[in-house]
Amino acid sequence: MIDLSVQTTLRGKHGAFSLDIHLQSSANRLVLFGPSGSGKTLSLQMIAGLVHPKTGHIVMDDTIFFDSAQGINLPTRKRRVGYVFQDYALFPHMTVWQNLAFALRQQEKRLPLLGNAFRAIVPSRLNDEQQDSIRYILELLEISHLAERRPAQISGGQKQRVALARALLISPRLLLLDEPFAALDPLLRIRMRKEIDSILQDCGVPLVMITHDPEDVDAFAEDLAVYANGQILAMERGFQSRSLFAQDSLSYLSDILSKGGQADRPFGFDDV
Amino acid sequence: MEFSLFGQQFSLFPIILSLKVAGLSTLASLILGTFVARLLARRRSVCAAVIDSLCTLPMVLPPTVLGYYLILLLGQKGLFGPALKQLGFQFMFSWQGAVVAATVVVFPLIYKSAKTALEQVDANVEKAARTLGASEIAVFFSISLPLAARGILSGAMLAFARGMGEFGATLMLAGNIPNKTQTLALAIYDAFQAGNDALAACLVILTSGICAAILITADYLLGGSR
């Protein structure tokens, strides 16, 4: 169950962009659909704690991530939210194995002040249990053969698997996928959609995905929020079952967007 | 210690002192400069801009002006002079003073390159580390620092070469006392003033050789790490 109610205004050199979102969903898979620059990524970054709204609250199950009224703002590292970035954001100076090991090490108990710095400079060996969980996730995502490669040496689809594996290793409360298939070529896109679908079914982690591709909506949306101009234009619950007998989703989405007015990306904002 | 080159006898002391001063001041600036760069990187406030220009100032001010400021701060009658004397520190006319002077002079070189290098690290990669549960300390030491290391080290290389040749601020604060605070640059000046052209020429060639060797070695080491 995620409860997101946030307001903020970003000021750029060429004007302002305001976001005003009220969103509640208890679905296992929530898709945020909308044109670029409608505030989807911003919402996702707020859930992860990478951007802070001016006012509002963000609650995940029983945990308050953010509440301006109570002055609560849980730091990103304590939210345990798996985030797969659009460009995957793998650590370029580490091998695939080290990328995953980094995620696991952060779950260890914190040491006193300088201990953490020391551990960051001289990483300890992983224990058997930790090594096993890395091996398990590598096998689950079929990337065991890539363990010793660096991100620059693997393909886009493989990077995505690594990023997903890394996010899953922290046993996240919630998984956030930012345009997961946009950067892949069309054939790979169809395949990865199926694979991620089945992996997520295995893991049972709740998912919030943002996309501007109606096919992603078809494949993933249980609940669907349609974004435009920093607001939610329409909220559909149980979308997947609905689309089977009613209107197909492409015409539904274009209908809604034409009513709400197709928004262009606000000038001067790369990432909203 | 005596040393002979091209038939010239001269003391090894200035060479060793110069290497010591350049090494220690580079090390001090490396730690301090990287720390300040981390604090100010990606900040766009007025306060950050003011501190940034203060940190860059030693690069544009004449070294004599820096030396003057340092005397005001650390001299016998300076702002912190008496307190430092109580603690057993003596910066006026001592080799420690030469290190302090060189540190201030080379600081901007490391600070600037560290700041640029840290800002060039992909912000998403740092954010990803945070979502995985990393504290700011872990993000810095495991992600930002390794990715910025080449830029920071090339700044350190320049700083060391600059520290080897430090003259003005050192002269003001530490003076020019043979076998105590006389660095290579000061020894050359001394020899030239005294009309000992042959000795000056020897020292000049030696200094050029050492600096070139440092730059070539550092370039080789940095180039080979990729």
Side-chain angles (χ1 to χ4, degrees):
Chain A
M1 167 79 189
I2 182 145
D3 179 0
L4 182 72
S5 170
V6 290
Q7 296 80 39
T8 199
T9 304
L10 297 183
R11 286 182 207 293
K13 278 179 185 158
H14 308 280
F17 173 80
S18 44
L19 182 84
D20 186 2
I21 296 294
H22 300 274
L23 174 66
Q24 282 184 345
S25 167
S26 43
N28 214 26
R29 290 175 181 190
L30 167 66
V31 171
L32 313 181
F33 174 89
S36 318
S38 56
K40 307 185 300 287
T41 299
L42 202 58
S43 305
L44 216 59
Q45 294 202 332
M46 283 175 178
I47 297 173
L50 299 170
V51 176
H52 306 306
K54 285 228 170 65
T55 56
H57 62 259
I58 304 168
V59 182
M60 173 72 205
D61 294 332
D62 300 326
T63 314
I64 301 172
F65 282 176
F66 180 88
D67 192 327
S68 58
Q70 296 181 57
I72 295 176
N73 184 6
L74 201 63
T76 301
R77 64 171 193 277
K78 290 186 182 160
R79 295 194 184 189
R80 215 152 48 73
V81 164
Y83 198 129
V84 177
F85 286 78
Q86 194 171 359
D87 58 1
Y88 313 126
L90 300 177
F91 307 132
H93 58 305
M94 298 184 188
T95 62
V96 168
W97 178 277
Q98 287 166 339
N99 263 274
L100 302 183
F102 179 86
L104 269 190
R105 279 205 188 92
Q106 308 314 315
Q107 313 310 309
E108 291 170 3
K109 264 189 85 158
R110 303 220 158 267
L111 301 172
L113 195 71
L114 281 175
N116 279 327
F118 180 76
R119 196 165 62 187
I121 299 167
V122 190
S124 55
R125 273 186 64 82
L126 295 173
N127 61 35
D128 290 348
E129 194 187 330
Q130 289 171 316
Q131 294 198 11
D132 284 345
S133 45
I134 295 185
R135 280 195 203 100
Y136 172 77
I137 201 91
L138 283 171
E139 264 170 46
L140 182 72
L141 287 153
E142 297 169 14
I143 44 175
S144 302
H145 59 294
L146 303 175
E148 296 311 316
R149 302 244 195 115
R150 285 180 190 253
Q153 300 164 332
I154 62 179
S155 71
Q158 290 169 335
K159 278 184 200 165
Q160 184 169 51
R161 287 164 204 253
V162 177
L164 188 61
R166 194 177 65 176
L168 287 173
L169 267 180
I170 65 168
S171 9
R173 289 191 177 101
L174 178 69
L175 190 64
L176 307 175
L177 302 183
D178 187 349
E179 302 267 9
F181 310 110
L184 304 177
D185 65 68
L187 280 178
L188 189 60
R189 194 177 299 163
I190 293 168
R191 198 174 123 204
M192 286 306 291
R193 227 178 245 138
K194 279 189 189 141
E195 289 196 9
I196 287 187
D197 186 35
S198 77
I199 289 161
L200 289 177
Q201 252 158 23
D202 289 351
C203 301
V205 183
L207 167 76
V208 178
M209 174 194 285
I210 63 185
T211 184
H212 54 217
D213 185 347
E215 287 186 36
D216 289 341
V217 176
D218 266 345
F220 286 96
E222 281 176 24
D223 277 6
L224 169 71
V226 183
Y227 270 62
N229 299 320
Q231 289 182 327
I232 291 180
L233 214 54
M235 179 79 200
E236 291 285 336
R237 295 182 199 286
F239 183 79
Q240 222 162 22
S241 47
R242 199 200 95 122
S243 68
L244 288 177
F245 50 86
Q247 218 176 355
D248 71 282
S249 53
L250 183 58
S251 64
Y252 164 79
L253 292 169
S254 49
D255 257 18
I256 290 189
L257 285 177
S258 64
K259 276 177 210 150
Q262 177 88 12
D264 279 334
R265 179 187 289 279
F267 191 63
F269 295 97
D270 294 334
D271 219 19
V272 287
Chain B
M1 275 179 292
E2 290 285 312
F3 185 78
S4 146
L5 185 75
F6 307 129
Q8 280 287 328
Q9 286 285 319
F10 53 87
S11 163
L12 267 182
F13 184 84
I15 301 169
I16 293 168
L17 181 64
S18 280
L19 288 171
K20 186 159 84 175
V21 166
L24 287 176
S25 59
T26 303
L27 195 67
S29 294
L30 195 58
I31 295 166
L32 214 62
T34 310
F35 179 71
V36 177
R38 166 63 184 82
L39 291 184
L40 294 182
R42 298 205 178 106
R43 283 187 198 264
R44 295 284 170 270
S45 67
V46 178
C47 187
V50 170
I51 300 174
D52 178 76
S53 50
L54 276 179
C55 289
T56 319
L57 213 52
M59 204 148 74
V60 288
L61 283 179
T64 42
V65 174
L66 293 178
Y68 192 84
Y69 278 133
L70 283 174
I71 291 170
L72 287 184
L73 289 175
L74 308 174
Q76 314 278 10
K77 293 180 188 136
L79 200 56
F80 303 113
L84 285 167
K85 200 170 185 185
Q86 291 267 304
L87 293 167
F89 287 108
Q90 164 71 16
F91 290 117
M92 291 297 290
F93 305 112
S94 71
W95 69 267
Q96 289 93 335
V99 173
V100 171
T103 303
V104 172
V105 171
V106 304
F107 174 84
L109 292 172
I110 293 182
Y111 162 72
K112 275 284 169 197
S113 52
K115 188 162 172 249
T116 311
L118 285 171
E119 280 175 350
Q120 274 170 355
V121 173
D122 183 359
N124 270 357
V125 168
E126 291 174 344
K127 286 181 187 168
R130 284 185 197 114
T131 66
L132 294 171
S135 62
E136 288 307 309
I137 288 179
V139 172
F140 179 69
F141 283 106
S142 316
I143 310 294
S144 319
L145 199 56
L147 289 175
R150 282 172 66 88
I152 297 173
L153 287 180
S154 64
M157 185 176 90
L158 282 178
F160 188 88
R162 175 72 184 80
M164 279 290 291
E166 200 343 80
F167 183 87
T170 312
L171 181 63
M172 297 277 286
L173 192 67
N176 180 9
I177 309 166
N179 291 323
K180 190 159 181 231
T181 64
Q182 192 178 62
T183 60
L184 259 180
L186 293 167
I188 291 168
Y189 181 74
D190 243 21
F192 188 72
Q193 284 289 307
N196 195 345
D197 285 358
L199 179 61
C202 266
L203 289 171
V204 163
I205 291 168
L206 199 67
T207 311
S208 311
I210 292 173
C211 284
I214 290 162
L215 289 179
I216 291 167
T217 317
D219 196 46
Y220 175 76
L221 289 177
L222 286 176
S225 70
R226 187 155 268 188

